[in-house]
Amino acid sequence: MAFVTLKDMGSNFHRLERFDGGDFVRWQRKMHFLLVTVKEYYVIVNPRPLEPSESEEESVAKTRERLRWDQDDEICRGHILNGMFNTLFDAYYTVKTAKELWNQLERRYITEDATSKRFIVCKFFDYKMVDGRSVMEQFNEIKSILDRYSQHKLALDEFIVVTSIIDKLPPS
């Protein structure tokens, strides 16, 4: 069984592309994976443990659970903020919890992803291959566009894809 050190986990976050406002779904999936890896994602899906009422006496275990959740929430929030470019970091730094931050990002950028779906469709249908570049290089660009279709859960009939690619071939 391999043990993962904090240094190793930190290096994984270093490899994450910083979110610049584009392709939110991809960044969100990578961030989700990393937060699960460091066991911090639970603060986004689980509510904070409740404070005891004045008439109740809280057990030490409940106090520790709440304090641990608070600490993990701050770490999770920090990881999410650290995964952003400075301009977005500055815009979202004041959000208090990781869950609020995650939800605000989803509300803002999932809507923009709908427009990016339109952009991807247009990019595929407007793409033209040229003579001056390698066919394989251009094919890989088309494949990359089509991979983004699947990332956005867009379906395109195989016959249409093949026909479109043939139409995109240069005259030579």
Side-chain angles (χ1 to χ4, degrees), residues 49-59 66:
L50 297 173
E51 300 267 345
S53 65
E54 289 184 26
S55 63
E56 291 179 337
E57 199 171 305
E58 185 174 41
S59 70
R66 194 177 63 259

Short mmCIF file of all heavy atoms in Angstrom, two decimals, residues 49-59 66:
data_model
loop_
_atom_site.label_atom_id
_atom_site.label_comp_id
_atom_site.label_asym_id
_atom_site.label_seq_id
_atom_site.Cartn_x
_atom_site.Cartn_y
_atom_site.Cartn_z
N PRO A 49 -21.54 20.74 10.85
CA PRO A 49 -22.24 20.23 12.05
C PRO A 49 -22.82 21.38 12.86
O PRO A 49 -22.20 22.45 12.98
CB PRO A 49 -21.13 19.51 12.82
CG PRO A 49 -20.11 19.16 11.79
CD PRO A 49 -20.17 20.27 10.78
N LEU A 50 -24.01 21.17 13.37
CA LEU A 50 -24.74 22.23 14.08
C LEU A 50 -24.10 22.55 15.42
O LEU A 50 -23.56 21.68 16.10
CB LEU A 50 -26.19 21.82 14.29
CG LEU A 50 -27.02 21.59 13.03
CD1 LEU A 50 -28.38 21.03 13.39
CD2 LEU A 50 -27.15 22.89 12.25
N GLU A 51 -24.21 23.81 15.80
CA GLU A 51 -23.79 24.26 17.13
C GLU A 51 -24.84 23.76 18.13
O GLU A 51 -26.03 23.68 17.80
CB GLU A 51 -23.76 25.79 17.18
CG GLU A 51 -22.82 26.44 16.21
CD GLU A 51 -21.45 26.70 16.81
OE1 GLU A 51 -21.31 26.63 18.04
OE2 GLU A 51 -20.53 26.95 16.03
N PRO A 52 -24.44 23.44 19.33
CA PRO A 52 -25.44 23.01 20.32
C PRO A 52 -26.27 24.21 20.78
O PRO A 52 -25.81 25.35 20.74
CB PRO A 52 -24.59 22.46 21.47
CG PRO A 52 -23.30 23.20 21.36
CD PRO A 52 -23.10 23.45 19.87
N SER A 53 -27.50 23.94 21.16
CA SER A 53 -28.32 25.02 21.70
C SER A 53 -27.79 25.35 23.09
O SER A 53 -27.01 24.59 23.68
CB SER A 53 -29.79 24.60 21.75
OG SER A 53 -29.95 23.54 22.66
N GLU A 54 -28.22 26.49 23.62
CA GLU A 54 -27.71 26.92 24.93
C GLU A 54 -28.05 25.93 26.03
O GLU A 54 -27.32 25.81 27.00
CB GLU A 54 -28.26 28.30 25.26
CG GLU A 54 -27.65 29.39 24.41
CD GLU A 54 -28.14 30.77 24.80
OE1 GLU A 54 -28.52 30.97 25.96
OE2 GLU A 54 -28.12 31.65 23.93
N SER A 55 -29.16 25.21 25.88
CA SER A 55 -29.57 24.27 26.92
C SER A 55 -28.85 22.92 26.80
O SER A 55 -28.86 22.14 27.74
CB SER A 55 -31.08 24.06 26.87
OG SER A 55 -31.44 23.48 25.63
N GLU A 56 -28.24 22.67 25.66
CA GLU A 56 -27.55 21.39 25.45
C GLU A 56 -26.07 21.50 25.80
O GLU A 56 -25.46 22.54 25.63
CB GLU A 56 -27.64 20.96 23.98
CG GLU A 56 -29.00 20.57 23.52
CD GLU A 56 -28.99 20.18 22.05
OE1 GLU A 56 -28.09 20.61 21.31
OE2 GLU A 56 -29.89 19.44 21.66
N GLU A 57 -25.56 20.41 26.29
CA GLU A 57 -24.13 20.34 26.53
C GLU A 57 -23.53 19.50 25.40
O GLU A 57 -24.04 18.43 25.08
CB GLU A 57 -23.85 19.69 27.89
CG GLU A 57 -22.47 19.99 28.39
CD GLU A 57 -22.30 19.53 29.83
OE1 GLU A 57 -23.09 19.93 30.69
OE2 GLU A 57 -21.37 18.76 30.05
N GLU A 58 -22.48 20.00 24.82
CA GLU A 58 -21.90 19.32 23.65
C GLU A 58 -20.78 18.39 24.10
O GLU A 58 -19.96 18.74 24.94
CB GLU A 58 -21.37 20.36 22.67
CG GLU A 58 -20.85 19.77 21.40
CD GLU A 58 -20.45 20.82 20.38
OE1 GLU A 58 -19.85 21.84 20.78
OE2 GLU A 58 -20.74 20.63 19.21
N SER A 59 -20.75 17.22 23.46
CA SER A 59 -19.68 16.27 23.77
C SER A 59 -18.38 16.74 23.12
O SER A 59 -18.38 17.52 22.18
CB SER A 59 -20.05 14.88 23.27
OG SER A 59 -20.03 14.86 21.85
N ARG A 66 -16.94 19.42 14.67
CA ARG A 66 -17.24 20.74 14.13
C ARG A 66 -15.97 21.53 13.84
O ARG A 66 -15.83 22.15 12.78
CB ARG A 66 -18.17 21.52 15.07
CG ARG A 66 -18.79 22.74 14.41
CD ARG A 66 -19.77 23.49 15.29
NE ARG A 66 -19.14 24.03 16.48
CZ ARG A 66 -19.20 23.49 17.70
NH1 ARG A 66 -19.92 22.41 17.91
NH2 ARG A 66 -18.59 24.05 18.73
#
